[in-house]
Amino acid sequence: MQTAEIRRRWLDYFGERGHTVVPSASLVSDDPTLLFTVAGMVPFIPYLTGLVPAPYPRATSVQKCIRTLDIEEVGKTPRHGTFFQMNGNFSFGDYFKKEAIEFAWELLTGSEQDGFYGFSPDDLWVTIYEDDDDAFRFWKDTAGLPDERIQRLGMDTNYWSTGLPGPAGPCSEIFFDRGPAYGVDGGPATDDDRYVEIWNLVFMQYLRGEGRGKNDFEILGELPRKNIDTGMGLERVAFLKQGVENMYEIDQVRPVLDRAAELSGKRYGADHDDDVRMRVIADHVRSSLMLMADGVTPSNEGRGYILRRLLRRSVRAMRLLGVDTATFPELFPASRDAMKAAYPEVDTDYARIGRLAYGEEETFLKTLESGTSILDVAVEKVRTSGGKKLEGDVAFQLHDTFGFPIDLTMEMAEEAGLTVDRSAFETLMAQQRNRAKADARAKKTLLADLSVYSDFRAKGETVFTGYEFLETDGTVLGIIVGGESVQRARVGDIADVILTETSLYAESGGQEADAGRIVGEGFELEVLDVQRPVKGLVSHKVEVTKGEVGVGDAATSIVDAAWRRGATQAHSATHIIHAALREVLGPQAHQAGSYNKAGYMRLDFNWNQALSPATRTEIEELSNNAIRNNLEVETKVMPLTEAKALGAMALFGEKYGETVRVVEIGGPWSRELCAGTHVSRSSEIGLINVVSEASVGSSNRRIESLVGMDAFRDLATERAIVSRLSTELKTPREQLPERIAGLMASLKEAEKKIAAYQSAALGERIPGLADAAVRRGGLTSVIENLGTVASADDVRTLSLGVRGRLGNEPAIVAFFADVAEKPIVIVATNDGARALGVRAGSMVSIAAGVLGGGGGGKDDIAQGGGTSVAAIPEAADALRAALPA
């Protein structure tokens, strides 16, 4: 049974039983505590927890998920996958435990001919929470399983909660027994790979209180509305139904594995280590494909870093298979073709995805060359010192800074006859993970604070009127101060105020929140920020500047008209520049993020090379022509499917409901899904002045522009500068570039002559400095402060000249100087001095330490520096004191 067929049967089964079929949400999660959608229930959390009223009593979905906590286990077990699909059915206060068990058993064990999955009941085991007698009874009544195949397990495995106060409850898991060839007998309680978990049923029936972790907490009572959250692993069922050994061999994954085998000349199944590498490649390529299809781009932080890590692990695995050249142009199309039946967007958007993937691979292959050079230096240093082990901090630096995989470091060190201090490396990695966990805990606490909004959201949604009005009358629905819901806020308080209606735009879609005020009888609030903490609710962060405000008070939201005008200009300018980019560069120049506020906008777009001055000018002219042509800006509200059919562009990573707002500028020329505020005609933008275009990653560029009066003021400033230059240089404006180029050339020539005169003058000092040499204990020394010198090269030349002047007698020359307001020291020794144990590198270390810096070099000449010119006399004394008596 193909994976797509398993998916279809699931949705058909539950759809026919009254469940609303909900499309998969993006892999990019709305939850601020999560980088990705990590489970099928994540999009439904607001409904399951009661934070937002559920729009339907029961639902079903096949949700795309990404988990990276077990990334090191990928390829080693039959079930660990980074990207996976979770089939889920959900009840929001509708049916409960009995019906959930009946649904699961019927779909699993019903015949394939009748549209079910056809598992034999003899192969299935069930676990329940140790005290859940209801579940035990329902399983007996529904499935007729013998008692020994319904195992009671503890809270660690069969009790669900978020780890925070809120919904909780027992769960029941269904396992498939692969048979004695795969492990020991005894059921899921043995925790053996023989038993594969395929379905988990969570019965949310209790309210848990505060506690420590997953096991230690108090049950406060039953929930008023009990919920069902179940999940069946699509890939796990697929590998069982397709009769293969693991999830990497199913129809949606195996083609990449086979292509990796062909490219490497290895045979899958011949060597355990190579098999693991091929499975890693198959998993990571598919996971990367799906992440990029949802708008994630490689970067050095957040989601982009996870994607980059997956891509680089794939490159590393191919290298360990013996392939050093680019392979993504072969591997990614294989994954695309395997996944496009279920997710057509991976095919329709493949030009962008492929360009991102291929560019990242090319960059990392160059990084591997750089990392290899650094590793070679470190290895040589260890070998020179007689050591046998590469320090853990070197391995960690290669991993953390260059993305150099530890396995690759260990492999290359072993080739050089060295080991790697893996223990020290793991310690540093653990410290990094702890820092990340601490950050995640802080974010989790932030999510917990969102529970304060649940009572407000239960009363309805905030109505946004700002598209039509700058002022709106409403009522204060709630007030939050210091994370606590309160009845009143007074002068000086910083509070979050929720209104029933507001004209103030909440930050979203790249547009900054509106500036403005909220006023009422006896109070005035300055609006500091506007956000949507939960779906359907607008919260205004305010400072109470007059009187006091209370829950239930009438309140009028007032938008700063000048700010809104600038914001609409900037947001519409963003759409215009996006359309101009695509017209000039082609449709692959797709928006990857934006930010706009009054007078300013920036837009990130998928492109991997700098724009030429001519191209940048063309984009700017095209944008301003669109303004001059006074194009109509029209907004329409329509179903998402209709908007997509119309060709409206969506921003990758943004979430859209079933009904969307489409903004058109000049009809189809610019047609995008957008909830922001816009001008009514393009001429209202006034002017677009592109001020910069630069890289923000290996495959993304950023274009920035000033808009409206800010654009005019910037151009006026440039005009004033040009006018002043023209006057002072007595040169017409159009001839300024040639005039300035001539002046620069003359200046460089003068600087060369001055440098030559200075060098000659320094050379004339050699005899005098040599004559000032001090002879003590068989060693001649010249230690002097030269004062201000143009360059370190001049100091080096002078030191070598004086050393040569001193002849063959043991001698050391040490010159200090002020170069560009920074102290430097250069020490030169001859053969006689080195025979006495006086080495330049050691002397520089002593002097540089006093100067507040460091340095090094060879035994005959070395250079150092520091931070304090004033410390030069003290450093010279320290060096003299270090010479042999």
Side-chain angles (χ1 to χ4, degrees), residues 370-451:
S370 302
T372 300
S373 300
I374 293 172
L375 182 59
D376 288 344
V377 171
V379 165
E380 185 59 31
K381 184 176 179 181
V382 173
R383 294 173 69 175
T384 301
S385 65
K388 293 293 184 181
K389 183 179 289 187
L390 190 69
E391 294 298 326
D393 58 349
V394 174
F396 179 76
Q397 180 196 11
L398 286 166
H399 175 276
D400 196 48
T401 305
F402 295 94
F404 216 66
I406 181 61
D407 291 350
L408 189 55
T409 300
M410 294 177 68
E411 174 197 353
M412 296 178 68
E414 184 178 352
E415 291 172 356
L418 303 178
T419 60
V420 176
D421 190 342
R422 185 68 185 261
S423 177
F425 171 82
E426 294 296 347
T427 298
L428 292 167
M429 287 294 294
Q431 292 172 357
Q432 185 185 64
R433 282 193 293 269
N434 288 338
R435 289 191 294 271
K437 287 179 180 178
D439 181 56
R441 283 194 296 271
K443 290 181 179 178
K444 197 166 191 176
T445 302
L446 178 64
L447 179 66
D449 293 341
L450 293 179
S451 62

Side-chain angles (χ1 to χ4, degrees), residues 584-619:
V584 173
L585 302 178
Q588 64 270 33
H590 199 291
Q591 180 176 341
S594 67
Y595 170 74
N596 52 77
K597 62 178 182 178
Y600 168 84
M601 56 109 338
R602 72 169 185 246
L603 184 143
D604 295 346
F605 59 100
N606 301 140
W607 201 252
N608 57 7
Q609 62 186 31
L611 303 184
S612 68
T615 299
R616 179 171 147 174
T617 298
E618 183 181 0
I619 292 166

